[in-house]
mmCIF file of all heavy atoms in Angstrom:
data_model
loop_
_atom_site.group_PDB
_atom_site.id
_atom_site.type_symbol
_atom_site.label_atom_id
_atom_site.label_comp_id
_atom_site.label_asym_id
_atom_site.label_seq_id
_atom_site.Cartn_x
_atom_site.Cartn_y
_atom_site.Cartn_z
ATOM 1 N N PRO L 18 0.844 -1.202 0.000
ATOM 2 C CA PRO L 18 0.000 0.000 0.000
ATOM 3 C C PRO L 18 0.876 1.249 0.000
ATOM 4 O O PRO L 18 1.944 1.287 0.613
ATOM 5 C CB PRO L 18 -0.791 -0.114 1.301
ATOM 6 C CG PRO L 18 0.036 -0.984 2.177
ATOM 7 C CD PRO L 18 0.847 -1.877 1.279
ATOM 8 N N ILE L 19 0.424 2.261 -0.738
ATOM 9 C CA ILE L 19 1.141 3.530 -0.827
ATOM 10 C C ILE L 19 0.185 4.627 -0.395
ATOM 11 O O ILE L 19 -0.931 4.728 -0.920
ATOM 12 C CB ILE L 19 1.629 3.788 -2.267
ATOM 13 C CG1 ILE L 19 2.609 2.693 -2.692
ATOM 14 C CG2 ILE L 19 2.261 5.162 -2.392
ATOM 15 C CD1 ILE L 19 2.983 2.748 -4.148
ATOM 16 N N ASP L 20 0.602 5.462 0.570
ATOM 17 C CA ASP L 20 -0.226 6.577 1.013
ATOM 18 C C ASP L 20 -0.318 7.608 -0.102
ATOM 19 O O ASP L 20 0.709 7.991 -0.686
ATOM 20 C CB ASP L 20 0.362 7.225 2.266
ATOM 21 C CG ASP L 20 0.264 6.320 3.484
ATOM 22 O OD1 ASP L 20 -0.687 5.512 3.532
ATOM 23 O OD2 ASP L 20 1.134 6.417 4.364
ATOM 24 N N VAL L 21 -1.552 8.032 -0.404
ATOM 25 C CA VAL L 21 -1.783 8.992 -1.467
ATOM 26 C C VAL L 21 -2.802 10.031 -1.040
ATOM 27 O O VAL L 21 -3.519 9.851 -0.051
ATOM 28 C CB VAL L 21 -2.296 8.305 -2.765
ATOM 29 C CG1 VAL L 21 -1.253 7.373 -3.346
ATOM 30 C CG2 VAL L 21 -3.604 7.590 -2.538
ATOM 31 N N VAL L 22 -2.846 11.105 -1.805
ATOM 32 C CA VAL L 22 -3.882 12.115 -1.686
ATOM 33 C C VAL L 22 -4.565 12.188 -3.047
ATOM 34 O O VAL L 22 -3.907 12.344 -4.068
ATOM 35 C CB VAL L 22 -3.310 13.495 -1.295
ATOM 36 C CG1 VAL L 22 -4.395 14.547 -1.275
ATOM 37 C CG2 VAL L 22 -2.606 13.416 0.048
ATOM 38 N N VAL L 23 -5.885 12.039 -3.048
ATOM 39 C CA VAL L 23 -6.671 12.140 -4.267
ATOM 40 C C VAL L 23 -7.409 13.464 -4.226
ATOM 41 O O VAL L 23 -8.123 13.758 -3.265
ATOM 42 C CB VAL L 23 -7.678 10.971 -4.393
ATOM 43 C CG1 VAL L 23 -8.572 11.151 -5.596
ATOM 44 C CG2 VAL L 23 -6.946 9.649 -4.468
ATOM 45 N N GLY L 24 -7.211 14.268 -5.260
ATOM 46 C CA GLY L 24 -7.918 15.534 -5.381
ATOM 47 C C GLY L 24 -8.993 15.405 -6.446
ATOM 48 O O GLY L 24 -8.728 14.910 -7.534
ATOM 49 N N ILE L 25 -10.212 15.841 -6.115
ATOM 50 C CA ILE L 25 -11.336 15.689 -7.039
ATOM 51 C C ILE L 25 -12.085 17.004 -7.148
ATOM 52 O O ILE L 25 -12.306 17.682 -6.141
ATOM 53 C CB ILE L 25 -12.305 14.600 -6.539
ATOM 54 C CG1 ILE L 25 -11.670 13.242 -6.668
ATOM 55 C CG2 ILE L 25 -13.622 14.639 -7.288
ATOM 56 C CD1 ILE L 25 -12.567 12.116 -6.276
ATOM 57 N N ASP L 26 -12.462 17.381 -8.369
ATOM 58 C CA ASP L 26 -13.477 18.404 -8.575
ATOM 59 C C ASP L 26 -14.421 17.899 -9.658
ATOM 60 O O ASP L 26 -14.353 16.720 -10.029
ATOM 61 C CB ASP L 26 -12.871 19.782 -8.881
ATOM 62 C CG ASP L 26 -12.203 19.878 -10.236
ATOM 63 O OD1 ASP L 26 -12.403 18.986 -11.077
ATOM 64 O OD2 ASP L 26 -11.486 20.865 -10.463
ATOM 65 N N ALA L 27 -15.282 18.718 -10.168
ATOM 66 C CA ALA L 27 -16.318 18.265 -11.105
ATOM 67 C C ALA L 27 -15.760 17.772 -12.435
ATOM 68 O O ALA L 27 -16.444 17.060 -13.160
ATOM 69 C CB ALA L 27 -17.322 19.379 -11.355
ATOM 70 N N SER L 28 -14.530 18.109 -12.767
ATOM 71 C CA SER L 28 -14.020 17.722 -14.087
ATOM 72 C C SER L 28 -12.661 17.031 -14.069
ATOM 73 O O SER L 28 -12.198 16.585 -15.103
ATOM 74 C CB SER L 28 -13.930 18.955 -14.986
ATOM 75 O OG SER L 28 -13.012 19.882 -14.433
ATOM 76 N N ARG L 29 -12.005 16.931 -12.926
ATOM 77 C CA ARG L 29 -10.642 16.375 -12.878
ATOM 78 C C ARG L 29 -10.448 15.498 -11.651
ATOM 79 O O ARG L 29 -11.148 15.626 -10.660
ATOM 80 C CB ARG L 29 -9.602 17.493 -12.829
ATOM 81 C CG ARG L 29 -9.653 18.398 -14.032
ATOM 82 C CD ARG L 29 -8.375 19.128 -14.277
ATOM 83 N NE ARG L 29 -7.256 18.326 -14.696
ATOM 84 C CZ ARG L 29 -7.104 17.758 -15.892
ATOM 85 N NH1 ARG L 29 -8.038 17.870 -16.777
ATOM 86 N NH2 ARG L 29 -6.035 17.089 -16.199
ATOM 87 N N ILE L 30 -9.429 14.649 -11.756
ATOM 88 C CA ILE L 30 -8.951 13.898 -10.593
ATOM 89 C C ILE L 30 -7.428 13.963 -10.620
ATOM 90 O O ILE L 30 -6.805 13.837 -11.670
ATOM 91 C CB ILE L 30 -9.454 12.442 -10.578
ATOM 92 C CG1 ILE L 30 -8.998 11.734 -9.303
ATOM 93 C CG2 ILE L 30 -9.006 11.681 -11.803
ATOM 94 C CD1 ILE L 30 -9.675 10.418 -9.052
ATOM 95 N N ARG L 31 -6.850 14.196 -9.452
ATOM 96 C CA ARG L 31 -5.393 14.296 -9.338
ATOM 97 C C ARG L 31 -4.954 13.336 -8.236
ATOM 98 O O ARG L 31 -5.571 13.266 -7.182
ATOM 99 C CB ARG L 31 -4.998 15.723 -8.990
ATOM 100 C CG ARG L 31 -3.522 15.923 -8.835
ATOM 101 C CD ARG L 31 -3.228 17.372 -8.470
ATOM 102 N NE ARG L 31 -1.885 17.525 -8.020
ATOM 103 C CZ ARG L 31 -0.878 17.900 -8.791
ATOM 104 N NH1 ARG L 31 -1.089 18.193 -10.044
ATOM 105 N NH2 ARG L 31 0.334 18.004 -8.303
ATOM 106 N N LEU L 32 -3.886 12.610 -8.486
ATOM 107 C CA LEU L 32 -3.372 11.620 -7.547
ATOM 108 C C LEU L 32 -1.917 11.947 -7.268
ATOM 109 O O LEU L 32 -1.120 12.104 -8.197
ATOM 110 C CB LEU L 32 -3.512 10.229 -8.173
ATOM 111 C CG LEU L 32 -3.211 9.011 -7.338
ATOM 112 C CD1 LEU L 32 -4.165 8.918 -6.162
ATOM 113 C CD2 LEU L 32 -3.329 7.761 -8.189
ATOM 114 N N GLU L 33 -1.582 12.084 -5.974
ATOM 115 C CA GLU L 33 -0.182 12.347 -5.624
ATOM 116 C C GLU L 33 0.208 11.611 -4.351
ATOM 117 O O GLU L 33 -0.641 11.239 -3.543
ATOM 118 C CB GLU L 33 0.088 13.842 -5.492
ATOM 119 C CG GLU L 33 -0.676 14.547 -4.421
ATOM 120 C CD GLU L 33 -0.332 16.032 -4.370
ATOM 121 O OE1 GLU L 33 -0.365 16.708 -5.408
ATOM 122 O OE2 GLU L 33 -0.041 16.495 -3.258
ATOM 123 N N SER L 34 1.513 11.379 -4.227
ATOM 124 C CA SER L 34 2.060 10.706 -3.064
ATOM 125 C C SER L 34 3.341 11.409 -2.653
ATOM 126 O O SER L 34 4.206 11.679 -3.492
ATOM 127 C CB SER L 34 2.352 9.241 -3.400
ATOM 128 O OG SER L 34 2.916 8.582 -2.278
ATOM 129 N N ASN L 35 3.446 11.734 -1.382
ATOM 130 C CA ASN L 35 4.618 12.430 -0.839
ATOM 131 C C ASN L 35 4.966 13.683 -1.641
ATOM 132 O O ASN L 35 6.128 13.956 -1.906
ATOM 133 C CB ASN L 35 5.831 11.497 -0.782
ATOM 134 C CG ASN L 35 5.633 10.358 0.184
ATOM 135 O OD1 ASN L 35 4.981 10.516 1.211
ATOM 136 N ND2 ASN L 35 6.176 9.199 -0.146
ATOM 137 N N GLY L 36 3.955 14.420 -2.065
ATOM 138 C CA GLY L 36 4.167 15.664 -2.802
ATOM 139 C C GLY L 36 4.488 15.479 -4.270
ATOM 140 O O GLY L 36 4.642 16.459 -4.990
ATOM 141 N N SER L 37 4.589 14.241 -4.752
ATOM 142 C CA SER L 37 4.878 13.988 -6.164
ATOM 143 C C SER L 37 3.598 13.563 -6.879
ATOM 144 O O SER L 37 2.858 12.714 -6.386
ATOM 145 C CB SER L 37 5.912 12.874 -6.320
ATOM 146 O OG SER L 37 7.119 13.240 -5.714
ATOM 147 N N GLU L 38 3.380 14.143 -8.044
ATOM 148 C CA GLU L 38 2.189 13.813 -8.819
ATOM 149 C C GLU L 38 2.311 12.427 -9.440
ATOM 150 O O GLU L 38 3.303 12.093 -10.060
ATOM 151 C CB GLU L 38 1.987 14.846 -9.929
ATOM 152 C CG GLU L 38 0.763 14.579 -10.766
ATOM 153 C CD GLU L 38 0.584 15.604 -11.856
ATOM 154 O OE1 GLU L 38 0.394 16.796 -11.536
ATOM 155 O OE2 GLU L 38 0.662 15.200 -13.029
ATOM 156 N N ILE L 39 1.288 11.616 -9.218
ATOM 157 C CA ILE L 39 1.209 10.299 -9.856
ATOM 158 C C ILE L 39 0.387 10.409 -11.124
ATOM 159 O O ILE L 39 0.693 9.786 -12.134
ATOM 160 C CB ILE L 39 0.585 9.266 -8.896
ATOM 161 C CG1 ILE L 39 1.491 9.063 -7.688
ATOM 162 C CG2 ILE L 39 0.331 7.949 -9.606
ATOM 163 C CD1 ILE L 39 0.906 8.184 -6.607
ATOM 164 N N GLY L 40 -0.665 11.203 -11.076
ATOM 165 C CA GLY L 40 -1.505 11.374 -12.253
ATOM 166 C C GLY L 40 -2.432 12.552 -12.105
ATOM 167 O O GLY L 40 -2.777 12.970 -10.999
ATOM 168 N N ASP L 41 -2.831 13.124 -13.244
ATOM 169 C CA ASP L 41 -3.786 14.223 -13.297
ATOM 170 C C ASP L 41 -4.610 14.013 -14.556
ATOM 171 O O ASP L 41 -4.085 14.098 -15.660
ATOM 172 C CB ASP L 41 -3.045 15.557 -13.339
ATOM 173 C CG ASP L 41 -3.985 16.739 -13.221
ATOM 174 O OD1 ASP L 41 -5.208 16.541 -13.134
ATOM 175 O OD2 ASP L 41 -3.489 17.878 -13.223
ATOM 176 N N TRP L 42 -5.901 13.668 -14.379
ATOM 177 C CA TRP L 42 -6.721 13.282 -15.515
ATOM 178 C C TRP L 42 -8.025 14.060 -15.538
ATOM 179 O O TRP L 42 -8.567 14.422 -14.496
ATOM 180 C CB TRP L 42 -7.057 11.791 -15.443
ATOM 181 C CG TRP L 42 -5.871 10.913 -15.326
ATOM 182 C CD1 TRP L 42 -5.018 10.541 -16.324
ATOM 183 C CD2 TRP L 42 -5.382 10.271 -14.144
ATOM 184 N NE1 TRP L 42 -4.036 9.718 -15.833
ATOM 185 C CE2 TRP L 42 -4.237 9.531 -14.492
ATOM 186 C CE3 TRP L 42 -5.807 10.247 -12.816
ATOM 187 C CZ2 TRP L 42 -3.520 8.778 -13.583
ATOM 188 C CZ3 TRP L 42 -5.093 9.508 -11.901
ATOM 189 C CH2 TRP L 42 -3.963 8.778 -12.283
ATOM 190 N N SER L 43 -8.566 14.238 -16.738
ATOM 191 C CA SER L 43 -9.899 14.813 -16.900
ATOM 192 C C SER L 43 -10.930 13.693 -16.821
ATOM 193 O O SER L 43 -10.584 12.511 -16.798
ATOM 194 C CB SER L 43 -10.001 15.530 -18.245
ATOM 195 O OG SER L 43 -9.977 14.574 -19.296
ATOM 196 N N ASN L 44 -12.203 14.056 -16.808
ATOM 197 C CA ASN L 44 -13.271 13.059 -16.793
ATOM 198 C C ASN L 44 -13.174 12.078 -17.956
ATOM 199 O O ASN L 44 -13.497 10.908 -17.807
ATOM 200 C CB ASN L 44 -14.638 13.735 -16.852
ATOM 201 C CG ASN L 44 -15.100 14.200 -15.498
ATOM 202 O OD1 ASN L 44 -14.513 13.862 -14.485
ATOM 203 N ND2 ASN L 44 -16.156 14.967 -15.488
ATOM 204 N N GLU L 45 -12.771 12.561 -19.099
ATOM 205 C CA GLU L 45 -12.691 11.703 -20.280
ATOM 206 C C GLU L 45 -11.548 10.689 -20.188
ATOM 207 O O GLU L 45 -11.558 9.677 -20.863
ATOM 208 C CB GLU L 45 -12.514 12.541 -21.547
ATOM 209 C CG GLU L 45 -13.705 13.415 -21.893
ATOM 210 C CD GLU L 45 -13.733 14.713 -21.084
ATOM 211 O OE1 GLU L 45 -12.653 15.216 -20.708
ATOM 212 O OE2 GLU L 45 -14.843 15.203 -20.812
ATOM 213 N N GLU L 46 -10.553 10.961 -19.379
ATOM 214 C CA GLU L 46 -9.373 10.106 -19.289
ATOM 215 C C GLU L 46 -9.385 9.152 -18.090
ATOM 216 O O GLU L 46 -8.501 8.308 -17.980
ATOM 217 C CB GLU L 46 -8.114 10.978 -19.156
ATOM 218 C CG GLU L 46 -7.909 11.936 -20.295
ATOM 219 C CD GLU L 46 -6.805 12.935 -20.007
ATOM 220 O OE1 GLU L 46 -6.808 13.555 -18.928
ATOM 221 O OE2 GLU L 46 -5.937 13.081 -20.881
ATOM 222 N N CYS L 47 -10.347 9.281 -17.208
ATOM 223 C CA CYS L 47 -10.320 8.534 -15.953
ATOM 224 C C CYS L 47 -11.727 8.095 -15.580
ATOM 225 O O CYS L 47 -12.696 8.788 -15.846
ATOM 226 C CB CYS L 47 -9.740 9.432 -14.861
ATOM 227 S SG CYS L 47 -9.652 8.675 -13.243
ATOM 228 N N ARG L 48 -11.817 6.923 -14.946
ATOM 229 C CA ARG L 48 -13.074 6.434 -14.391
ATOM 230 C C ARG L 48 -12.840 5.988 -12.962
ATOM 231 O O ARG L 48 -11.762 5.526 -12.627
ATOM 232 C CB ARG L 48 -13.603 5.255 -15.190
ATOM 233 C CG ARG L 48 -14.012 5.634 -16.566
ATOM 234 C CD ARG L 48 -14.542 4.460 -17.292
ATOM 235 N NE ARG L 48 -14.809 4.890 -18.652
ATOM 236 C CZ ARG L 48 -15.681 4.332 -19.421
ATOM 237 N NH1 ARG L 48 -16.365 3.297 -18.999
ATOM 238 N NH2 ARG L 48 -15.886 4.766 -20.631
#
């Protein structure tokens, strides 16, 4: 397991761990 922070708004999702970005996707790119 890896501790992460998931950021969500109406059109995007952002995933980061220890201050480093793992991913940043729009609604069309992520489910």
Side-chain angles (χ1 to χ4, degrees):
I19 298 172
D20 291 330
V21 295
V22 176
V23 175
I25 290 183
D26 70 14
S28 62
R29 299 202 68 72
I30 184 167
R31 179 181 167 95
L32 188 63
E33 62 180 50
S34 179
N35 295 326
S37 299
E38 181 180 297
I39 295 174
D41 187 359
W42 305 282
S43 69
N44 277 349
E45 294 81 30
E46 301 170 310
C47 179
R48 293 181 185 206

